[in-house]
């Protein structure tokens, strides 16, 4: 939580509201859903069911139904794993890193961004399992004393991944839940009957005594403090899944910062993609204002520049190594069989976000929404380009080959988006999408309700 | 938690006034009071004299435990079941640091969360008798457990002077155990 210790003065646009308004406005959406909500829920459920069917076909018939084959053994599944882990990152950036920097503007977007983190990790976590084929052997990755007397190979980046992503999910969930406890208490007090009991149990009997707040603020601070190095480590570890291999196009020391910047870039884009319809549907325009979107736009521009720089640095390094196979791999990436995904990536991630240099674009919510969609697409292609083109064009010309995703992989791709939005829809109708306590804190601070 | 002690419960609409009341009541020796706030207010914590949180110790112990667990899990298991792969060292420190790092973070977070619950005395079943639903909306609450008598009058005076919007005496709310 931002605390009244916050020094940065922010004009977020809701300072003149009363404290009770925050409860009323933010809790209003938590009521009986309209037919539109049910229709949307039905749609995403159908998407999940279709993706689930495709997965079932793969389990039943074997991995052969997917397009991955020699030499491209990592295809859409691993692409989606990296994509979804990346989406998760901005949630932690907004909730933890901006908290430590006392950036008050995070207040009204951090809850939804954190929820996005959790649902994105839940989606990402499915893909190593889907990619395994024989999903029932997933426990080989877990460290436990087995009859086989074999432990996981702790020198393998895939085992690091298990630890990094597992820790990331657990800590994100705890961080999110800790922030939610006081708001769930507000929900408990709003309802009677079984909802009162349910939210009462979830709020752990929170009463908001100063002792509770004191320990709460400490725990929240420490969680923000550890989530910050954690988020940087998670995508670094994911990038080492590639960089530890000698494959040309992967074996690079810039991978960790390159992936982290890309993750934050894609995550901010997804926050914008989600917040625009959310604030419209729930009438939260007073709380999530153009000011917030303007700040997100600046972050998007900054990370786009880092990502664009990384693309250029990769090419420079390939040239500078004077390694013919590395050079050939990168030349082929831009001009070979996968040149279309490559140029889509450059266009969506570097060219389109350059429009954000203009204030008019940064303050136009429709324009931002459109740019965020481009970035989502571009970042999917970035991972696809890194993973697939490198494998398709390794050392041996005799072993070169192309990869086409099959209907199963494309269905699971669609299903993963449906799965992600399913959780987000359920969240948006059952829990407050904006942190009420933080909004009130900001209102009280702005109105000078405290004295030192 | 408190089993509904007799006392005075005041509601305040403003943080500054609540702080005043709390400071004055504390000076008058009412250390048993309970203060409710709808949002985190460090100034109110200061007024009540709550300035220490042992959660930091929990976090530190969790971090150390996690780091040691990571070290034991990686080095210990590889030494206990040596399996040389690709001629690499069995105890490969740079690789193991990653696992140790992640477990340090994991247990720091879990321990900090548990510490928050333990010291905040949560979870609790049912709410304390002094709690009012407005305390999660826009009212601050100050409850002083003080029996009927001249002491109570003083408490009420302080609350009134500080600007309480509503003052109630909670004696009537208890289950009539004595009367039965």
């Amino acid at each position: 939580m931002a605390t009244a210790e916050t020094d940065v003065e922010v004009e977020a646009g809701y300072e003149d509201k009363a404290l009770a308004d925050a409860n009323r406005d933010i809790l209003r959406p938590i009521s009986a859903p309209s037919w539109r909500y049910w229709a949307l829920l039905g749609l995403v459920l159908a998407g999940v069911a279709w993706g689930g069917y495709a997965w079932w076909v793969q389990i039943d018939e074997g991995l052969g139904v997917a397009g991955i084959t020699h030499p491209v053994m990592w295809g859409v599944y691993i692409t989606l794993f990296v994509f979804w882990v990346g989406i998760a990152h901005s949630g932690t950036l907004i909730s933890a890193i901006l908290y430590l920097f006392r950036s008050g503007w995070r207040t009204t977007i951090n809850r939804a961004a954190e929820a996005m983190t959790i649902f994105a990790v839940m989606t990402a976590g499915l893909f190593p399992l889907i990619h395994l084929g024989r999903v029932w052997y997933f426990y080989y990755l877990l460290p436990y004393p087995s009859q086989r007397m074999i432990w996981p190979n702790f020198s393998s980046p895939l085992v690091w991944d298990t630890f990094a992503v597992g820790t990331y999910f657990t800590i994100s969930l705890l961080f999110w839940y800790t922030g939610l406890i006081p708001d769930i208490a507000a929900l408990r007090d709003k309802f009677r009957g079984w909802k009162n009991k349910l939210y009462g149990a979830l709020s752990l009997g929170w009463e908001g005594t100063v002792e509770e707040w004191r320990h709460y603020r400490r725990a929240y601070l420490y969680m923000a403090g550890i989530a910050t190095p954690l988020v940087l480590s998670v995508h670094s570890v994911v990038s080492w899944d590639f960089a530890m291999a000698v494959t040309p196009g992967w074996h690079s020391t810039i991978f960790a910062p390159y992936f982290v910047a890309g993750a934050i870039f894609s995550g901010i884009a997804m926050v914008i993609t989600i917040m625009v319809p959310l604030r419209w549907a729930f009438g939260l325009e007073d709380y999530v204002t153009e000011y917030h979107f303007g700040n997100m736009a600046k972050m998007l521009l900054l990370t786009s520049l880092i990502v664009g720089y990384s693309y250029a640095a990769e090419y420079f390094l390939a040239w500078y190594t004077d390694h013919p196979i590395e050079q050939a791999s990168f030349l082929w990436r831009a001009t070979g069989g996968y040149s279309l995904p490559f140029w889509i990536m450059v266009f969506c991630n570097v060219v389109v976000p350059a429009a954000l240099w203009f204030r008019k674009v940064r303050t136009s919510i429709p324009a931002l929404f459109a740019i965020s969609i481009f970035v989502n697409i571009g970042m999917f292609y970035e991972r696809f380009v890194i993973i697939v083109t490198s494998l398709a064009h390794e050392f041996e010309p005799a072993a070169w080959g192309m990869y086409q995703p099959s209907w199963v992989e494309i269905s699971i791709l669609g299903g993963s988006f449906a799965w992600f939005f399913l959780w987000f829809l359920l969240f948006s109708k059952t829990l407050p999408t904006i942190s009420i306590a933080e909004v009130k804190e900001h209102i009280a601070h702005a109105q000078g309700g405290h004295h030192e | 938690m408190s089993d509904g002690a007799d006392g005075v419960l005041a509601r305040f609409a403003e943080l500054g006034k609540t702080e005043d009341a709390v400071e004055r009541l504390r000076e008058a020796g009412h250390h048993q009071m309970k203060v409710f706030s709808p949002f985190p207010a460090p100034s109110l914590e200061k007024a009540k004299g709550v300035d220490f949180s042992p959660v930091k110790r929990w976090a530190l112990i969790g971090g150390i435990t996690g780091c040691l667990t990571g070290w034991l899990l990686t080095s210990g298991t590889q030494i206990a079941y040596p399996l040389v792969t690709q001629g690499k060292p069995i105890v490969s420190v740079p690789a193991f640091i990653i696992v140790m790092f992640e477990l340090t973070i994991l247990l720091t977070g879990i321990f900090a969360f548990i510490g928050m619950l333990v010291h905040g005395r949560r979870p609790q079943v049912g709410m304390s008798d002094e709690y009012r639903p407005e305390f999660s909306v826009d009212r601050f609450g100050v409850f002083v457990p003080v029996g009927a008598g001249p002491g109570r009058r003083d408490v009420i005076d302080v609350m009134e002077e500080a600007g309480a919007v509503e003052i109630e005496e909670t004696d009537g709310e208890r289950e009539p155990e004595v009367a039965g």
Side-chain angles (χ1 to χ4, degrees):
Chain A
M1 324 249 352
T3 70
E5 290 157 6
T6 310
D7 295 324
V8 189
E9 290 299 329
V10 181
E11 284 295 325
Y14 54 83
E15 283 83 2
D16 52 348
K17 289 198 177 271
L19 295 181
D21 291 343
N23 280 58
R24 193 197 57 217
D25 296 345
I26 297 168
L27 296 181
R28 188 190 303 120
I30 302 168
S31 53
S34 68
W35 67 269
R36 288 188 197 84
Y37 179 85
W38 289 117
L40 208 55
L41 196 66
L43 195 70
V44 295
L45 274 173
V48 171
W50 180 252
Y53 168 70
W55 190 9
W56 169 250
V57 169
Q58 180 180 294
I59 291 171
D60 192 36
E61 297 188 23
L63 257 186
V65 296
I68 39 178
T69 181
H70 185 80
V72 182
M73 300 305 292
W74 282 6
V76 163
Y77 296 150
I78 300 297
T79 302
L80 282 167
F81 168 70
V82 181
F83 174 80
W84 284 112
V85 177
I87 292 294
H89 274 49
S90 76
T92 319
L93 173 96
I94 290 171
S95 59
I97 301 183
L98 294 184
Y99 173 71
L100 295 179
F101 279 110
R102 302 269 184 247
S103 295
W105 65 273
R106 68 184 266 289
T107 298
T108 50
I109 50 171
N110 72 332
R111 172 70 47 73
E114 282 172 46
M116 207 186 76
T117 293
I118 291 158
F119 305 145
V121 178
M122 281 164 56
T123 314
L126 291 175
F127 282 97
L129 306 184
I130 294 171
H131 182 79
L132 268 180
R134 282 182 270 185
V135 60
W136 48 95
Y137 286 130
F138 82 96
Y139 65 90
Y140 276 28
L141 275 170
L142 305 176
Y144 71 102
S146 72
Q147 269 188 319
R148 290 171 286 131
M149 307 255 282
I150 293 174
W151 290 80
N153 177 7
F154 289 106
S155 303
S156 160
L158 300 184
V159 176
W160 303 344
D161 241 2
T162 313
F163 281 87
V165 175
T167 300
Y168 190 41
F169 178 70
T170 315
I171 294 295
S172 301
L173 191 66
L174 275 181
F175 194 43
W176 183 61
Y177 179 57
T178 304
L180 266 168
I181 289 173
D183 287 3
I184 297 176
L187 263 174
R188 169 200 65 201
D189 295 340
K190 185 189 170 197
F191 289 118
R192 294 280 157 265
W194 66 270
K195 285 183 186 169
N196 177 280
K197 287 208 167 58
L198 179 69
Y199 286 118
L202 281 174
S203 73
L204 309 176
W206 176 270
E207 294 182 353
T209 62
V210 289
E211 287 80 8
E212 280 173 280
W213 280 120
R214 173 75 194 157
H215 305 306
Y216 167 94
R217 289 200 302 116
R218 282 288 118 182
Y220 200 88
L221 177 69
Y222 298 140
M223 284 191 199
I226 56 168
T228 301
L230 175 64
V231 71
L232 300 180
S233 84
V234 172
H235 228 57
S236 301
V237 167
V238 169
S239 83
W240 294 332
D241 287 343
F242 309 102
M244 291 290 152
V246 291
T247 305
W250 287 2
H251 196 52
S252 166
T253 47
I254 68 164
F255 255 44
Y258 169 28
F259 268 52
V260 171
I264 292 169
F265 180 54
S266 67
I268 295 275
M270 190 59 98
V271 174
I272 296 173
T273 309
I274 284 182
M275 284 313 275
V276 171
L278 183 80
R279 79 171 200 144
W280 170 77
F282 290 170
L284 296 171
E285 283 92 345
D286 289 348
Y287 294 92
V288 186
T289 61
E290 283 177 4
Y291 165 78
H292 299 101
F293 282 103
N295 277 339
M296 285 194 270
K298 285 178 193 162
M299 302 251 338
L300 203 59
L301 178 61
L302 172 73
T303 43
S304 159
L305 290 173
I306 301 175
V307 165
Y309 172 78
S310 304
Y311 296 161
E314 274 196 306
Y315 272 84
F316 171 77
L317 290 171
W319 168 77
Y320 196 66
T321 53
D322 208 18
H323 188 290
I325 291 171
E326 187 82 8
Q327 288 174 344
S329 173
F330 274 93
L331 184 68
W332 189 77
R333 188 179 276 189
T335 59
Y338 290 111
S339 60
L340 183 65
F342 176 84
W343 291 107
I344 292 176
M345 163 189 107
V346 172
F347 178 74
C348 292
N349 294 347
V350 182
V351 179
V352 173
L356 295 169
W357 282 109
F358 299 99
R359 174 183 279 274
K360 259 205 171 124
V361 179
R362 287 203 304 272
T363 50
S364 156
I365 286 166
L368 261 180
F369 184 70
I371 290 173
S372 77
I373 302 280
F374 273 104
V375 173
N376 287 326
I377 295 169
M379 285 309 291
F380 173 80
Y381 275 107
E382 180 197 299
R383 277 64 183 255
F384 183 86
V385 164
I386 292 171
I387 295 169
V388 173
T389 65
S390 304
L391 287 173
H393 206 81
E394 277 198 77
F395 299 94
E396 287 285 335
W400 288 346
M402 297 290 283
Y403 155 76
Q404 278 285 331
S406 72
W407 73 268
V408 173
E409 285 159 300
I410 292 168
S411 302
I412 291 178
L413 186 157
S416 76
F417 277 86
W419 165 262
F420 174 76
F421 286 115
L422 169 71
W423 285 101
F424 206 87
L425 277 176
L426 294 176
F427 155 70
S428 66
K429 268 291 175 188
T430 47
L431 292 167
T433 50
I434 291 178
S435 168
I436 303 170
E438 275 193 45
V439 164
K440 283 188 209 164
E441 192 184 6
H442 185 72
I443 292 173
H445 188 56
Q447 294 176 355
H450 82 302
H451 72 184
E452 296 289 337
Chain B
M1 291 299 292
S2 162
D3 50 314
D6 294 353
V8 187
L9 176 67
R11 282 164 231 216
F12 292 86
E14 284 170 43
L15 179 56
K17 291 178 178 172
T18 321
E19 283 164 33
D20 277 347
V22 171
E23 263 166 24
R24 291 171 60 181
L25 288 166
R26 189 160 69 97
E27 280 163 19
H30 296 287
H31 296 288
Q32 295 303 308
M33 72 183 143
K34 275 175 103 170
V35 183
F36 303 92
S37 167
F39 55 84
S43 52
L44 200 55
E45 292 164 15
K46 215 160 85 184
K48 186 163 187 282
V50 185
D51 51 5
F52 177 75
S53 173
V55 173
K56 63 175 116 181
R57 292 187 188 142
W58 285 82
L60 180 68
I61 292 167
I64 294 169
T65 313
C67 191
L68 288 177
T69 309
W71 175 65
L72 269 178
L73 187 65
T74 51
S75 306
T77 56
Q78 305 302 308
I79 292 167
Y81 306 93
L83 192 70
V84 178
T85 44
Q86 302 171 352
K88 290 174 186 166
I90 288 174
V91 176
S92 170
V93 178
F96 293 177
I97 283 175
I98 293 164
V99 175
M100 289 161 68
F101 173 84
E102 300 298 344
L103 288 176
T104 305
I105 301 257
L106 180 67
L107 291 196
T108 307
I110 292 175
F111 272 56
F113 182 74
I114 295 172
M116 177 188 85
L117 295 183
V118 168
H119 295 286
R121 293 169 193 262
R122 298 289 175 270
Q124 67 171 353
V125 180
M127 311 294 292
S128 64
D129 286 348
E130 303 85 53
Y131 183 76
R132 298 289 177 273
E134 301 100 289
F135 297 157
S136 67
V137 186
D138 59 352
R139 287 286 180 267
F140 299 85
V142 178
F143 173 76
V144 181
V146 55
R152 173 172 291 186
R153 193 59 245 170
D154 294 343
V155 169
I156 293 175
D157 286 346
V158 171
M159 286 167 168
E160 274 174 352
E161 280 168 29
V165 289
E166 195 184 332
I167 297 176
E168 71 179 273
E169 299 180 47
T170 58
D171 310 66
E173 293 185 351
R174 283 217 294 177
E175 293 298 312
E177 350 171 287
V178 194

